[in-house]
Amino acid sequence: MVKIFLDPGHGGTDPGAVGNGLQEKSLVLTIASLVRDMLLDEYLDVEVRMSRSTDVFVALSERSRLANQWGADYFMSIHINAGGGTGFESFIHSSRAARTVQLQNTVHDAIMEQLSVADRGKKSADFAVLRASSMPAILTENLFIDRVSDANLLKDAAFLRSVARGHVNGIVRAFQLQRKPGSGGGSVYRVQSGAFSSEQNATQLKTRLEQAGYQPFIRLEGGLYKVQVGAFSNQTNAEAFAVELRSKGFEAQVFLS
Ligand SMILES: [Zn+2]
């Protein structure tokens, strides 16, 4: 049994970073809850606990204490950045134990595969939750709440699912979790309107879709910039959405992932 401790940052009286009508504390709770649900629904032999599953304040020392007391195998703290940058970065403690570095490489890369955003790098810092947790620990900073383009992505439910999926994929690879037999629970039918080797072409299509009232985003996968317009758990709904897109002059294909 692999024990994963998820730590959505902030909460309660501490909103974390705020900007563009968003609060860090609620975004990270959404992402962490999705990560928990995906892991428990789709994978065998994994247990998940969270430092908080509601909008409450939990002290930093308490977060690590809970994970240590439980004997977690991995501590994953989830945050949203602020301060004028853009993109994704991850942190481990400055002591950089070999296993912790290895896990950061796996998890960071899995998240970047899901997101078409700037990679700000694999970093280290003396953060309290990383220092005080006795198991390998990572802290992810998922885009910038005070950057309009990042905030627009964070307002998109499908994008938050991709952020969560990246965290899940990283855990699955790092701990070699096995899928539940026959679990369709995590299947997502992605509706894609185009795939390009040129980022500029992908951006042009994204702009056209936005002008038509959709909320597309670009995922870099296998060297291609894929313009995704929607994601559905139900194939019929995905196909119906693809038909609608085609009726408005866009290409649309449904992929199961
Ligand atoms: Zn934070």
Side-chain angles (χ1 to χ4, degrees):
M1 189 65 75
V2 176
K3 295 176 167 184
I4 304 297
F5 191 89
L6 300 175
D7 175 40
H10 314 279
T13 53
D14 170 16
V18 294
N20 294 299
L22 295 169
Q23 290 194 319
E24 179 182 3
K25 67 174 183 177
S26 75
L27 288 168
V28 295
L29 181 57
T30 299
I31 294 166
S33 302
L34 286 167
V35 171
R36 175 197 60 198
D37 294 349
M38 289 172 182
L39 285 172
L40 296 179
D41 286 351
E42 301 166 24
Y43 291 93
L44 295 167
D45 301 324
V46 59
E47 280 184 74
V48 177
R49 284 196 192 172
M50 292 168 68
S51 56
R52 64 183 182 92
S53 56
T54 57
D55 183 19
V56 293
F57 177 80
V58 182
L60 292 178
S61 58
E62 179 68 1
R63 296 168 191 255
S64 296
R65 194 191 66 76
L66 288 166
N68 293 346
Q69 187 181 42
W70 184 40
D73 295 301
Y74 199 35
F75 184 101
M76 183 177 260
S77 192
I78 300 173
H79 289 254
I80 309 292
N81 227 329
T86 182
F88 173 82
E89 63 193 9
S90 68
F91 290 88
I92 56 174
H93 190 250
S94 343
S95 59
R96 302 175 61 80
R99 172 73 173 148
T100 304
V101 173
Q102 188 187 30
L103 289 171
Q104 180 184 31
N105 285 332
T106 303
V107 171
H108 183 109
D109 291 349
I111 293 168
M112 280 307 304
E113 280 173 26
Q114 290 292 315
L115 309 180
S116 175
V117 300
D119 186 346
R120 302 171 57 83
K122 298 161 184 166
K123 303 181 177 179
S124 61
D126 185 28
F127 292 150
V129 289
L130 299 178
R131 183 176 61 243
S133 297
S134 48
M135 69 292 308
I138 191 169
L139 185 148
T140 63
E141 291 279 8
N142 300 276
L143 286 72
F144 283 69
I145 207 164
D146 54 354
R147 160 78 58 127
V148 171
S149 53
D150 280 18
N152 284 340
L153 289 173
L154 294 168
K155 288 174 183 173
D156 178 359
F159 183 82
L160 293 185
R161 281 193 73 84
S162 293
V163 173
R165 180 59 66 188
H167 286 70
V168 168
N169 289 351
I171 292 168
V172 166
R173 280 177 215 170
F175 293 93
Q176 299 179 356
L177 297 182
Q178 300 298 309
R179 264 195 103 86
K180 284 183 183 172
S183 80
S187 301
V188 173
Y189 296 91
R190 300 181 182 278
V191 181
Q192 183 177 305
S193 187
F196 306 90
S197 52
S198 143
E199 183 172 17
Q200 195 186 352
N201 290 345
T203 304
Q204 282 172 2
L205 174 58
K206 177 170 176 273
T207 304
R208 280 176 50 220
L209 285 159
E210 284 169 346
Q211 286 164 351
Y214 295 103
Q215 293 187 307
F217 66 93
I218 298 173
R219 297 194 310 139
L220 180 57
E221 190 178 67
L224 287 175
Y225 295 92
K226 300 181 173 179
V227 182
Q228 185 182 316
V229 198
F232 300 84
S233 57
N234 175 302
Q235 186 174 9
T236 307
N237 293 344
E239 296 288 0
F241 187 63
V243 168
E244 177 195 312
L245 281 172
R246 289 185 202 116
S247 77
K248 298 196 176 167
F250 295 101
E251 289 185 19
Q253 278 183 287
V254 178
F255 293 94
L256 178 62
S257 63

